[in-house]
Amino acid sequence: MISFCKSILDFLRIDLPLTFKNSLLLAAVYTFIIPVIRGISNLDNIHSADVFGQSLALIGVFLFIPIIRQELEVSVKEIVYTKVWSYRKSVSIRLICSFWMITIFASIMRLQNCSFPFLKYVTVTILYAVFLGILGLLFSQLGNNVIIGYLASLGYWSFCQFDILTEENVLYIL
């Protein structure tokens, strides 16, 4: 058990700077810009849900899609797949680390006197961010390009925001 924890810590020490160097910085800047653009103090349930659904869920796009950027090249992918530490574990740890950004932002909203059911909103936002991120990951893998993943995720989010995809549509996941 101790060696497993040590291997996770070694992985995080080595992999996080490589994987999240640009994307985590971008997501952090975006997270700090949301309060300036939207204002997050003294919001009720409905306005808090708007901030979570319209703004904060995009963090999934910034954090999840670049996760596999390093492994998109065939030669790197072959090396990653032959390692004892599985690729699934690597991606899972990266995803779990990125959930903290949403939880921290929700905590800041609570400190700013916003009233909303914390656990419910955080869970739904994480699921929405994961959906947008996984959608982008899927298209990145299929197209072998990160830009395709960004366009797919942001396109889906835009279709939902502009009511092109509504609750009557099968593709509407919100």
Side-chain angles (χ1 to χ4, degrees), residues 42 113 151:
N42 302 318
N113 298 321
L151 292 175

Side-chain angles (χ1 to χ4, degrees), residues 55 69 89 92 116 124 133 142 151 154 161:
S55 300
R69 183 182 68 229
K89 287 181 187 176
S92 298
F116 60 92
V124 169
L142 291 175
L151 292 175
L154 293 175
Q161 296 305 312

Side-chain angles (χ1 to χ4, degrees), residues 11-169:
F11 168 78
L12 292 175
R13 182 180 50 78
I14 294 167
D15 194 55
L16 280 178
L18 291 173
T19 304
F20 288 124
K21 182 174 57 176
N22 294 327
S23 61
L24 188 61
L25 181 63
L26 177 64
V29 167
Y30 176 70
T31 303
F32 289 120
I33 289 175
I34 292 172
V36 174
I37 296 171
R38 306 273 320 225
I40 60 165
S41 60
N42 302 318
L43 298 177
D44 60 0
N45 283 346
I46 295 170
H47 291 98
S48 294
D50 286 343
V51 170
F52 279 105
Q54 293 174 355
S55 300
L56 196 58
L58 287 177
I59 288 177
V61 174
F62 298 135
L63 291 176
F64 298 152
I65 294 173
I67 284 175
I68 58 164
R69 183 182 68 229
Q70 307 289 340
E71 289 89 3
L72 281 178
E73 294 181 33
V74 176
S75 59
V76 174
K77 195 180 290 188
E78 289 173 358
I79 292 170
V80 170
Y81 286 150
T82 61
K83 295 293 182 186
V84 176
W85 186 267
S86 76
Y87 183 65
R88 270 187 316 209
K89 287 181 187 176
S90 299
V91 172
S92 298
I93 290 173
R94 294 172 191 173
L95 290 173
I96 290 168
C97 290
S98 61
F99 293 157
W100 288 105
M101 180 107 19
I102 293 171
T103 307
I104 290 170
F105 187 82
S107 300
I108 292 170
M109 284 184 68
R110 286 302 282 250
L111 290 173
Q112 294 290 323
N113 298 321
C114 295
S115 63
F116 60 92
F118 185 83
L119 188 59
K120 184 178 179 181
Y121 278 33
V122 168
T123 304
V124 169
T125 304
I126 287 174
L127 290 174
Y128 187 29
V130 167
F131 172 74
L132 289 174
I134 297 292
L135 180 71
L137 283 173
L138 174 70
F139 278 93
S140 293
Q141 284 285 355
L142 291 175
N144 225 12
N145 192 338
V146 180
I147 301 297
I148 295 170
Y150 282 118
L151 292 175
S153 293
L154 293 175
Y156 181 85
W157 179 83
S158 298
F159 284 165
C160 290
Q161 296 305 312
F162 294 127
D163 291 330
I164 295 170
L165 290 177
T166 59
E167 293 179 14
E168 295 83 33
N169 197 316

